[in-house]
Amino acid sequence: MSSERLAALLDEYAELERRLADPAIHADQGTARRVGRRYAELVPLHKAAGELEQARADLAAARELAAEDPTFATEAEAIASSLPALEERLAELLIPRDPHDAKDVIVEIKAGEGGEESALFAGDLLRMYTRYAERHGWVTEVIDAQDSDLGGVKDVSLAIKSKGVPEGGNGVWSRLKWEGGVHRVQRVPVTESQGRIHTSAAGVLVLPEAEDVDVTIDPNELRIDVFRSSGPGGQSVNTTDSAVRITHVPTGIVVSCQNEKSQLQNREQAMRILRARVLAAAQEQADAAASDARKAQVRTVDRSERIRTYNFPQNRITDHRIGYTAYNLDLALAGELDGVLDALAEADRAARLAGETELSRR
């Protein structure tokens, strides 16, 4: 356990507590929210450190009393036996966590090979994440979407936000960051007349939603094009150049939005997605440059191409990264995803602990 790291984090906790007690901070809601999120992240650490300190003080007192009265020896033994669990809990909290855990997210879902069946499956994934968000009391907003002819979606961007400051700093990203990758479905498509099972797929990209302080985008490095929207919409959607395409020249990232009727609204929505993608690209560069040990601490569950299979005939959901299988696909699609997400979080926790132990041996 790093006493220096613990002391630094407890000092940070005290400083954040002081800042939040100052009414002036609430004049800037963005700053207040960021400070509140970081404070919430450190609350469990502060509590665990306090409990351990109190237990050690109680043990010292019990042992001192036991020297004069043997009846206190049993109490001292009980306190001593509780220390390892408290020390382990604090050690876990001291492991560097994902810096984006408290953030909201933007989920992008794209239909892959498989035509209309893939688009229908992409729509299923959209409903699954929307229902999961509802179960957790989060707010969802479709930023941009391109529907398919049979009621699916070809491409959709969904913002998911927590209400207020997430407890323990565990925001939407801390739960949904595992979802990025290729999701495969096996079922009989509605367009299949012979009853044969087909396999198709949809891609999911999960991005922590960036705030202005997270990433700086120079307006001079943007190329903005406007064009006529396509697909269903209001009266003016298909008759005016309201759709917006923004290209971030340094990275080559391109974002298009056409859901809103006004060009200004589409531009604002496109910038939200662009900021998130630029932040994610910067994070990927940082991770690639980091050492293997550091990467193990930050991100431990491999985001391989095919991450999960949804098998309808067997009512089975399988996550290939950790070997998780459950026969409750119907419930998962209805938003009950905590089973697989808890398993992924536990795999990540175990890997981070193992990485920290390996580092401490060097």
Side-chain angles (χ1 to χ4, degrees):
M1 183 186 307
S2 171
S3 57
E4 295 83 3
R5 175 170 169 75
L6 175 59
L9 291 173
L10 292 178
D11 286 345
E12 183 184 0
Y13 173 89
E15 172 61 18
L16 293 172
E17 190 172 46
R18 183 196 64 77
R19 290 184 66 185
L20 288 172
D22 183 356
I25 194 174
H26 298 287
D28 184 344
Q29 289 300 310
T31 300
R33 182 172 171 83
R34 287 192 297 273
V35 172
R37 281 179 169 178
R38 180 57 177 162
Y39 178 78
E41 289 178 11
L42 294 178
V43 165
L45 176 72
H46 179 265
K47 181 180 178 182
E51 290 175 350
L52 180 57
E53 182 180 4
Q54 184 63 54
R56 287 172 172 168
D58 291 344
L59 177 59
R63 284 176 172 171
E64 184 177 341
L65 291 170
E68 301 175 1
D69 184 349
T71 58
F72 283 97
T74 302
E75 181 180 350
E77 290 178 4
I79 297 173
S81 67
S82 71
L83 290 182
L86 293 172
E87 290 169 346
E88 182 179 354
R89 169 63 175 160
L90 184 57
E92 285 187 23
L93 291 170
L94 281 171
I95 297 173
R97 64 184 290 168
D98 188 325
H100 299 312
D101 272 353
K103 289 186 177 294
D104 300 322
V105 305
I106 293 176
V107 179
E108 299 184 8
I109 307 172
K110 298 180 184 295
E113 295 181 1
E116 281 295 339
E117 165 61 9
S118 178
L120 288 170
F121 177 52
D124 291 337
L125 293 177
L126 173 61
R127 284 184 291 275
M128 180 179 75
Y129 292 128
T130 300
R131 290 166 180 170
Y132 182 74
E134 291 171 352
R135 288 174 179 271
H136 285 263
W138 298 334
V139 178
T140 60
E141 174 194 1
V142 174
I143 299 177
D144 194 57
Q146 296 181 40
D147 298 332
S148 71
D149 294 336
L150 296 182
V153 290
K154 298 177 182 177
D155 192 342
V156 61
S157 296
L158 177 72
I160 306 179
K161 293 179 172 290
S162 59
K163 294 181 180 178
V165 176
E167 183 178 352
N170 296 315
V172 183
W173 172 259
S174 71
R175 295 300 288 169
L176 294 185
K177 59 185 174 182
W178 324 113
E179 294 303 288
V182 174
H183 295 238
R184 184 177 68 171
V185 61
Q186 296 173 325
R187 65 183 176 188
V188 178
V190 295
T191 55
E192 170 59 53
S193 59
Q194 302 299 319
R196 293 172 296 186
I197 296 175
H198 287 225
T199 298
S200 60
V204 175
L205 179 64
V206 184
L207 305 169
E209 181 153 12
E211 300 177 42
D212 291 338
V213 297
D214 295 326
V215 59
T216 300
I217 295 179
D218 186 345
N220 295 322
E221 296 178 338
L222 299 178
R223 185 170 70 245
I224 302 176
D225 303 304
V226 296
F227 57 97
R228 187 157 299 178
S229 301
S230 61
Q235 284 185 320
S236 62
V237 167
N238 301 315
T239 58
T240 62
D241 293 335
S242 60
V244 174
R245 182 186 301 108
I246 301 179
T247 303
H248 185 237
V249 176
T251 61
I253 295 173
V254 180
V255 177
S256 299
C257 275
Q258 61 177 11
N259 257 32
E260 306 296 337
K261 291 183 179 180
S262 88
Q263 187 181 118
L264 178 61
Q265 289 175 314
N266 281 321
R267 177 170 173 161
E268 290 174 349
Q269 299 289 46
M271 283 300 298
R272 285 177 64 184
I273 299 174
L274 179 65
R275 279 193 295 268
R277 289 190 185 176
V278 170
L279 176 63
Q283 186 65 52
E284 287 177 7
Q285 281 188 329
D287 287 348
S291 67
D292 289 341
R294 176 57 185 157
K295 284 191 287 185
Q297 294 174 43
V298 175
R299 188 68 48 77
T300 56
V301 176
D302 177 40
R303 291 190 178 198
S304 57
E305 274 297 299
R306 185 194 65 184
I307 66 166
R308 191 175 298 152
T309 294
Y310 303 75
N311 186 293
F312 276 70
Q314 299 177 14
N315 196 36
R316 170 174 57 84
I317 179 171
T318 298
D319 195 287
H320 304 288
R321 295 164 293 182
I322 57 173
Y324 174 94
T325 293
Y327 293 88
N328 61 349
L329 176 57
D330 54 339
L331 297 178
L333 291 174
E336 294 187 21
L337 280 174
D338 281 328
V340 62
L341 295 182
D342 286 344
L344 286 161
E346 178 56 29
D348 177 68
R349 186 192 71 84
R352 286 189 298 116
L353 276 173
E356 184 74 7
T357 300
E358 182 64 27
L359 283 174
S360 67
R361 292 172 179 166
R362 296 179 181 176

